[in-house]
C-alpha cells in the first residue's frame, strides 16, 4: 500500500515537472516573439526597413478601428493612434467599440486631432485626396437601431406594394436590405481594413453588412500599440491581392 502511494506521488510530481517544462517552453517562445516584434517595430519606425517607407494609401480609402470597450477609455492612446494614421495619409476612419465609450469621447477626440471632422454619409464615393480628416463614431447600439429602422422601412414598402399589386408573397433579398439601410441613413461605407485592438480576435459586433469584403487584423492590446506595427499591418494589406466574387 505504501509503495502504491509513493508511486502515485512520483507520478504526480512527474506530471508537474512536465507541466512546468512545457509552460517554460511556451513562455520562452512568446517572449522571443515579443522581443522580435518590438525590434522589428523599432526598425520600421526608424526607417531602416525601406520596403515599409512607401505605403500605397490609395488601397485604404476607409479604415476602421475596433477597440475593446474597457480599453476605449484610454482616450490619449486613441488620439495618438489617430494622429499616426493621419500622418500616414489616411483620410477617413471609423471608430467602433461595443458600448459606445468612444462616442462619449467624441468631442475630446475631435478637438485633439488636427483637422478632424465628423463623417457625413452621402451617396458620393469616398474621395481619398479630400482635405481634412473625417471620423465616424459607432457602437453596437447603432447596429441594432439600423436593423430595426431598415426592417420597418421594408415592411412599410412591402405593405405599399402589396396594396398596389395584391401580391403578398414578396420576400426580402440582401440587396433590398442594403438599399433599406442606405435609405434610412445607416448604410455607411464598407471599411477596406479593420484593425482590432484588445484581447479578442474578432470584430466585436461591428455591423456585419459593412464588412462583406473587409480585411480584419488583430493588433493586440491598445496599451501596447506601436507605430511600426501599425505601418506593417497597413503595408501587408496593401500588398494583398483581393478577388471579389460575382
Amino acid at each position: 500500500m505504501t509503495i502504491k502511494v509513493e508511486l502515485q506521488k512520483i507520478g504526480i510530481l512527474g506530471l508537474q515537472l512536465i507541466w512546468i517544462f512545457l509552460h517554460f517552453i511556451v513562455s520562452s517562445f512568446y517572449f522571443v516573439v515579443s522581443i522580435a516584434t518590438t525590434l522589428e517595430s523599432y526598425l520600421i519606425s526608424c526607417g531602416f526597413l525601406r520596403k515599409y517607407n512607401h505605403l500605397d494609401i490609395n488601397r485604404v480609402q476607409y479604415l476602421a478601428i475596433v477597440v475593446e470597450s474597457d480599453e476605449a477609455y484610454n482616450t490619449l492612446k486613441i488620439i495618438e493612434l489617430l494622429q499616426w494614421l493621419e500622418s500616414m495619409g489616411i483620410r477617413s476612419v471609423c471608430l467602433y467599440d461595443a458600448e459606445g465609450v468612444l462616442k462619449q469621447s467624441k468631442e475630446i477626440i475631435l478637438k485633439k486631432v488636427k483637422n478632424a471632422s465628423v463623417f457625413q454619409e452621402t451617396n458620393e464615393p469616398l474621395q481619398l485626396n479630400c482635405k481634412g480628416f473625417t471620423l465616424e463614431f459607432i457602437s453596437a447600439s447603432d447596429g441594432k437601431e439600423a436593423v430595426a429602422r431598415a426592417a420597418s422601412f421594408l415592411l412599410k414598402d412591402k405593405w405599399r406594394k402589396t396594396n398596389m399589386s395584391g401580391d403578398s408573397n414578396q420576400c426580402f433579398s440582401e440587396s433590398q436590405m442594403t438599399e433599406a439601410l442606405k435609405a434610412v441613413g445607416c448604410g455607411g461605407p464598407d471599411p477596406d481594413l479593420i484593425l482590432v485592438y484588445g484581447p479578442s480576435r474578432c470584430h466585436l459586433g461591428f455591423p456585419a453588412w459593412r464588412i462583406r469584403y473587409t480585411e480584419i487584423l488583430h493588433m493586440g492590446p491598445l496599451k501596447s500599440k506601436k507605430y511600426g506595427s501599425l505601418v506593417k499591418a497597413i503595408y501587408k494589406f496593401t500588398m494583398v491581392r483581393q478577388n471579389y466574387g460575382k
Side-chain angles (χ1 to χ4, degrees), residues 122 158 170:
T122 66
K158 179 181 179 181
Q170 183 182 2

Side-chain angles (χ1 to χ4, degrees), residues 18-231:
I18 292 173
W19 167 253
I20 292 172
F21 177 74
L22 291 176
H23 184 270
F24 172 77
I25 294 296
V26 173
S27 298
S28 299
F29 171 76
Y30 281 107
F31 176 76
V32 172
V33 170
S34 177
I35 294 297
T37 302
T38 302
L39 178 60
E40 182 185 39
S41 176
Y42 174 77
L43 293 175
I44 293 173
S45 301
C46 294
F48 292 122
L49 301 182
R50 295 185 178 181
K51 69 177 183 179
Y52 296 107
N53 292 344
H54 304 285
L55 297 177
D56 184 11
I57 297 300
N58 292 326
R59 294 285 306 277
V60 192
Q61 294 197 27
Y62 201 71
L63 183 141
I65 300 294
V66 172
V67 183
E68 189 83 24
S69 292
D70 291 340
E71 296 197 349
Y73 286 100
N74 196 335
T75 309
L76 293 178
K77 291 288 186 181
I78 297 294
I79 292 172
E80 186 178 33
L81 180 60
L82 292 174
Q83 290 172 340
W84 288 349
L85 291 171
E86 185 183 18
S87 68
M88 293 179 192
I90 303 294
R91 289 291 171 262
S92 297
V93 176
C94 176
L95 290 174
Y96 170 90
D97 76 284
E99 298 179 10
V101 176
L102 294 173
K103 290 175 67 175
Q104 296 174 8
S105 306
K106 179 169 64 175
E107 296 301 326
I108 297 175
I109 293 173
L110 290 172
K111 288 181 180 179
K112 294 294 183 179
V113 180
K114 185 179 179 181
N115 298 324
S117 61
V118 177
F119 173 80
Q120 300 294 333
E121 184 178 351
T122 66
N123 293 324
E124 299 296 327
L126 285 173
Q127 298 295 326
L128 180 65
N129 296 322
C130 63
K131 295 181 180 180
F133 187 61
T134 60
L135 298 175
E136 181 183 9
F137 297 82
I138 61 173
S139 64
S141 62
D142 294 308
K144 295 177 181 178
E145 181 183 355
V147 171
R149 290 171 62 184
S152 177
F153 177 87
L154 285 173
L155 287 173
K156 290 179 181 178
D157 186 59
K158 179 181 179 181
W159 179 263
R160 180 181 60 82
K161 292 180 178 179
T162 299
N163 288 338
M164 293 176 62
S165 63
D167 181 12
S168 59
N169 296 320
Q170 183 182 2
C171 297
F172 299 137
S173 64
E174 181 181 348
S175 60
Q176 286 176 311
M177 189 64 179
T178 301
E179 291 300 320
L181 286 165
K182 291 181 179 179
V184 298
C186 299
D190 294 354
D192 301 294
L193 174 65
I194 287 181
L195 301 179
V196 181
Y197 286 91
S200 300
R201 292 180 175 270
C202 65
H203 58 75
L204 300 174
F206 192 92
W209 59 88
R210 295 181 58 178
I211 55 175
R212 290 166 292 184
Y213 304 108
T214 301
E215 184 81 13
I216 302 175
L217 295 178
H218 183 254
M219 301 297 291
L222 181 65
K223 63 182 180 180
S224 302
K225 66 177 179 53
K226 298 177 180 65
Y227 179 79
S229 298
L230 180 63
V231 172

